Amino acid sequence: MRATTIHAPFDLRVEDVPDPVVQDPADVVLRVLRACVCGSDLWAYRGESARQPGQRIGHEFLGVVEEAGAGVRGFRRGDLVVAPFVWSDGTCAYCAEGLQTSCPRGGFWGSVGSDGGQGEAVRVPFADGTLVKLPAEAASDDRLLTALLALSDVLGTGHHAALGAGVRAGSTVAVVGDGAVGLCGVLAAKRLGAERIIALGRHTARTDIARAFGATDVVAERGEAAEAAVRELTGGQGAHGVIEAVGTEQSMRTAVAVARDGGSIGYVGVPHGSGTGLDLSVMFNRNIALRGGVAPVRAYIPELLPDVLDGTVDPSPVFDLTVGLDGVPDGYRAMDERTALKVLVKP
């Protein structure tokens, strides 16, 4: 089969690799129908997170079961399924608690020795604990299939951030970051009943999506100017909840600064480029809570799936460029140059 591999910074290749096979009775082999490029993939692309030459890449995908191991109980050949961005055994204490990202036998797609999602097929370990079945008819609905792909990461990650931020009915929420996760954070805040949603971003194409997703206000400034703008919009108090979807030191400082005293920050931006860190005394004195991390999207898919299926929530507009498998390197380049928000891959 063919799959995307990374060899060095800015050196992605679509190459012939061995076909995946069932190696354990709990495995399935999945034919990929849709995959995509994540903003966090760009850190490997830019050389800011280490990868071995030839390592697979990509962690968001859905597809059709081609083969199931003898121990698989929940799936059979032909089932349409979505894969969370980590696999998990579904039986450990962490999985039972809904924290599948801490499963001792779990792992990330594209890690050394595993398949990546940006290819024609993937071997899925612990299929019964990892995959979620989708309605078969969705395979013939291109828009719906694209929306369902967001369940593999960005929609659940935005939801995780909204929960960490304590979003509730009638609250005011600020969203720091206008990437796909931040925009899905807007969707999640709207779904949870936020009355006012302030999106921080300066790219009109993205803030237009934010408004369509439910943002009531847009702040294009950065740094202290952004802080002042949010304060002005909130009568000087700040937001009850803040979604931090970037991961830099500056974005986290902005999140703290725009939070209301007694408010909460839900942080899901993959940390990078942090230097001196945060002044915890500021958070202590203002009673600001901080909660987030790697989103256990497997725990959220059953809750979010019905809303995606009936159109109540439609994250598909975050995908603004579509490529075939051969176009994946160009897709990375477009996201790196910010000419694309999120790239959809149709193998």
Side-chain angles (χ1 to χ4, degrees):
M1 73 165 199
R2 298 165 68 244
T4 308
T5 57
I6 184 166
H7 292 261
F10 306 103
D11 183 4
L12 285 178
R13 306 174 194 175
V14 179
E15 301 180 305
D16 290 328
V17 300
D19 291 340
V21 297
V22 169
Q23 299 178 17
D24 182 275
D27 292 351
V28 305
V29 172
L30 185 77
R31 175 169 52 88
V32 177
L33 294 183
R34 296 287 186 278
C36 55
V37 181
C38 183
S40 64
D41 290 332
L42 296 180
W43 304 121
Y45 180 68
R46 295 165 179 161
E48 296 182 39
S49 58
R51 293 293 188 275
Q52 293 183 4
Q55 190 171 335
R56 307 285 181 83
I57 196 166
H59 56 262
E60 299 165 279
F61 59 95
L62 57 74
V64 175
V65 174
E66 290 288 293
E67 183 181 0
V72 176
R73 297 290 176 260
F75 305 97
R76 61 184 180 179
R77 180 180 173 85
D79 283 344
L80 180 67
V81 295
V82 62
F85 65 83
V86 302
W87 69 81
S88 53
D89 64 20
T91 62
C92 72
Y94 284 115
C95 287
E97 294 167 6
L99 194 63
Q100 290 88 344
T101 49
S102 291
C103 176
R105 297 199 288 175
F108 288 78
W109 309 112
S111 56
V112 175
S114 73
D115 294 330
Q118 294 160 14
E120 292 181 318
V122 175
R123 179 182 75 89
V124 179
F126 304 112
D128 284 327
T130 300
L131 300 174
V132 177
K133 190 179 294 186
L134 303 173
E137 56 270 22
S140 60
D141 185 331
D142 190 65
R143 185 213 57 81
L144 178 58
L145 204 61
T146 300
L148 290 167
L149 175 62
L151 290 167
S152 67
D153 186 346
V154 288
L155 184 59
T157 297
H159 180 68
H160 187 57
L163 293 179
V167 177
R168 61 188 185 279
S171 61
T172 295
V173 181
V175 180
V176 181
D178 61 2
V181 170
L183 294 173
C184 285
V186 172
L187 263 183
K190 179 69 173 179
R191 178 179 175 275
L192 292 172
E195 181 177 330
R196 192 170 196 182
I197 304 171
I198 305 167
L200 280 69
R202 58 175 56 188
H203 302 276
T204 303
R206 300 182 179 200
T207 55
D208 285 348
I209 295 174
R211 289 189 184 278
F213 281 2
T216 56
D217 304 273
V218 169
V219 169
E221 294 84 359
R222 289 185 179 179
E224 292 182 358
E227 298 164 14
V230 173
R231 291 282 170 184
E232 183 177 356
L233 287 170
T234 57
Q237 291 191 341
H240 299 103
V242 181
I243 290 172
E244 193 286 314
V246 182
T248 63
E249 183 178 319
Q250 179 57 59
S251 64
M252 188 63 82
R253 289 185 181 277
T254 297
V256 172
V258 302
R260 183 181 187 272
D261 285 16
S264 301
I265 298 169
Y267 70 106
V268 293
V270 178
H272 55 277
S274 180
T276 59
L278 294 171
D279 186 348
L280 291 181
S281 65
V282 173
M283 299 177 67
F284 180 85
N285 291 335
R286 296 179 53 216
N287 280 282
I288 294 174
L290 181 65
R291 186 174 179 85
V294 184
V297 299
R298 177 61 182 81
Y300 301 139
I301 292 175
E303 176 185 350
L304 297 172
L305 177 57
D307 284 356
V308 176
L309 289 174
D310 69 15
T312 301
V313 172
D314 180 12
S316 63
V318 303
F319 299 97
D320 61 343
L321 176 64
T322 300
V323 299
L325 199 53
D326 286 331
V328 169
D330 291 334
Y332 271 80
R333 189 175 305 112
M335 284 181 62
D336 183 50
E337 295 173 353
R338 297 183 72 85
T339 58
L341 168 59
K342 190 169 181 66
V343 173
L344 177 70
V345 181
K346 294 184 177 181

